[in-house]
């Protein structure tokens, strides 16, 4: 997912279906929707896996010790894709990607994903009490990732105290919005809805 606040670096890097290193461009581009073929979760996962294997591309991402850095990639079939650097101790907070399906994979370092197995109502609520047993935790070392469906609620963390992590993410359709939540125990509260203009 795109970083919540502006970081020091934001580039666009073209990545074909066979990822190769490209020179970063100074401005972001908007992917074109391909109405004839919407990428599946499996295809997005395959894309992030192949992109993460491009060592030269992964190593080209500037890393900042204080905040996340990111590069916009060209995903398959008009999907939205990102290469994200995570300093030690950083995370996303709880959020979802609305109607988009997605996939992400750790290219270096290790990330942790906390997620909910419950599907939340799309709209019309501000506070929900979660039932017991809906929490899942995944450790995602380099080379490990996952795909997910619509309305997937999760948070992603780099819990290392001294090592950056780098990951590749892809979403289809391109993110229409991100809903951010706070959580206290089993109570989840909708705090903010972000639109593309907030992170482009």
């Amino acid at each position: 997912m795109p970083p919540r606040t502006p970081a020091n670096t934001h580039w666009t890097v073209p990545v074909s279906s066979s990822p190769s290193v490209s020179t970063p461009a100074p401005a972001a581009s908007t992917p074109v929707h391909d109405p004839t073929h919407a990428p599946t979760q499996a295809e997005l996962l395959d894309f992030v896996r192949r992109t993460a294997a491009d060592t030269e591309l992964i190593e080209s991402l500037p890393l900042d010790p204080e905040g996340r850095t990111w590069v916009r990639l060209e995903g398959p079939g008009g999907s939205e894709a990102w290469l994200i650097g995570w300093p030690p101790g950083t995370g996303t907070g709880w959020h979802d990607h609305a109607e988009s399906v997605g996939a992400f994979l750790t290219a270096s370092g290790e990330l942790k994903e906390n997620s909910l197995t419950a599907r939340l109502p799309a709209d019309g609520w501000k506070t929900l009490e979660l039932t017991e047993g809906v929490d899942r935790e995944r450790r995602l070392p380099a080379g490990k990732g996952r795909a997910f469906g619509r309305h997937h609620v999760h948070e992603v963390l780099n819990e290392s105290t001294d090592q950056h992590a780098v990951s590749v993410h892809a979403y289809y359709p391109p993110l229409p919005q991100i809903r951010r939540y706070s959580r206290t125990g089993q109570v989840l509260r909708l705090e903010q809805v972000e639109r593309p203009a907030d992170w482009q």
Side-chain angles (χ1 to χ4, degrees):
M1 68 156 296
R4 181 173 193 164
T5 55
N8 294 339
T9 306
H10 179 191
W11 290 328
T12 299
V13 176
V15 176
S16 66
S17 55
S18 298
S20 60
V21 176
S22 302
T23 304
S29 63
T30 302
V32 176
H33 287 278
D34 178 1
T36 62
H37 176 71
T40 65
Q41 293 176 43
E43 289 169 332
L44 294 175
L45 185 58
D46 180 62
F47 168 80
V48 298
R49 181 175 291 116
R50 288 182 291 106
T51 303
D54 186 336
T55 306
E56 194 172 347
L57 175 65
I58 300 307
E59 291 176 353
S60 73
L61 178 67
L63 300 176
D64 185 294
E66 305 270 329
R68 286 187 290 160
T69 52
W70 70 97
V71 171
R72 179 87 180 246
L73 306 174
E74 292 182 15
S79 62
E80 178 173 343
W82 298 87
L83 177 62
I84 300 177
W86 308 72
T90 57
T92 61
W94 288 95
H95 67 280
D96 72 15
H97 308 99
E99 295 293 329
S100 297
V101 300
F104 71 101
L105 186 134
T106 306
S108 66
E110 179 176 285
L111 294 173
K112 175 184 165 187
E113 182 199 37
N114 296 320
S115 63
L116 302 179
T117 59
R119 181 172 173 136
L120 305 184
D123 294 301
W125 65 276
K126 289 287 185 183
T127 304
L128 286 178
E129 186 165 350
L130 302 170
T131 59
E132 296 294 329
V134 298
D135 288 287
R136 295 293 179 268
E137 177 183 307
R138 287 180 176 83
R139 294 280 174 182
L140 300 168
K144 298 292 183 186
R146 65 158 308 177
F148 53 84
R150 294 173 175 83
H151 305 288
H152 177 67
V153 178
H154 69 167
E155 65 174 351
V156 181
L157 310 161
N158 177 6
E159 294 187 325
S160 173
T161 58
D162 59 2
Q163 185 179 10
H164 266 81
V166 176
S167 57
V168 182
H169 304 245
Y171 311 97
Y172 189 89
L175 297 173
Q177 63 183 20
I178 293 175
R179 290 178 288 223
R180 296 195 179 275
Y181 307 98
S182 62
R183 183 172 177 184
T184 305
Q186 294 302 106
V187 176
L188 193 71
R189 178 181 299 275
L190 177 63
E191 296 290 351
Q192 183 179 8
V193 178
E194 294 180 2
R195 310 266 176 206
D198 298 321
W199 64 77
Q200 297 284 346

